[in-house]
């Protein structure tokens, strides 16, 4: 969104995290009528912890989702394999 970082696989991990957030909660993480405001919120606002939004999720899965949607790509899972491993450990 900011154009400050190259787009790579970590962007897809972020997008998957947002999709999972929406699937679990039934809500989009950032809502507004204006797309530019949604983009701004996406860059500046932290995503609510899943436990704050729904009680149908374990704290371990919430931790995984939080890492998936970290604003700083270097703090996200770096590869799909790393994410899959975390999910497999959860199971």
């Amino acid at each position: 969104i900011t154009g400050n970082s190259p787009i790579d696989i970590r962007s897809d991990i972020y997008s998957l995290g947002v999709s999972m957030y929406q699937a679990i909660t039934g809500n989009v993480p950032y809502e507004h009528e204006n797309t530019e405001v949604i983009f701004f919120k996406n860059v500046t606002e932290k995503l609510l912890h899943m436990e704050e939004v729904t009680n149908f999720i374990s704290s371990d899965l919430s931790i995984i989702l939080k890492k998936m949607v970290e604003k700083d790509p270097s703090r996200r899972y770096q590869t799909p394999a790393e994410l899959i491993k975390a999910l497999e450990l959860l199971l």
Side-chain angles (χ1 to χ4, degrees):
I1 292 173
T2 62
N4 294 334
S5 311
I7 296 174
D8 58 25
I9 195 69
R10 296 171 300 178
S11 300
D12 293 331
I13 291 170
Y14 180 89
S15 297
L16 178 60
V18 169
S19 296
M20 289 173 67
Y21 179 96
Q22 185 172 1
I24 292 167
T25 66
N27 299 307
V28 293
Y30 308 106
E31 200 164 4
H32 199 275
E33 308 84 42
N34 184 315
T35 305
E36 289 180 17
V37 173
I38 293 171
F39 288 161
F40 179 76
K41 287 181 169 192
N42 192 26
V43 172
T44 60
E45 293 182 10
K46 286 191 173 197
L47 195 61
L48 290 176
H49 289 269
M50 295 299 291
E51 301 100 353
E52 297 175 46
V53 181
T54 181
N55 58 0
F56 298 109
I57 186 171
S58 71
S59 59
D60 291 336
L61 182 54
S62 181
I63 290 167
I64 290 171
L65 284 170
K66 182 180 178 209
K67 186 169 180 174
M68 291 173 72
V69 297
E70 280 285 346
K71 302 294 182 198
D72 179 356
S74 69
R75 298 185 67 187
R76 286 181 212 145
Y77 293 100
Q78 298 301 294
T79 65
E82 186 180 340
L83 171 58
I84 290 167
K85 183 177 179 182
L87 291 169
E88 287 175 341
L89 288 173
L90 177 64
L91 294 174

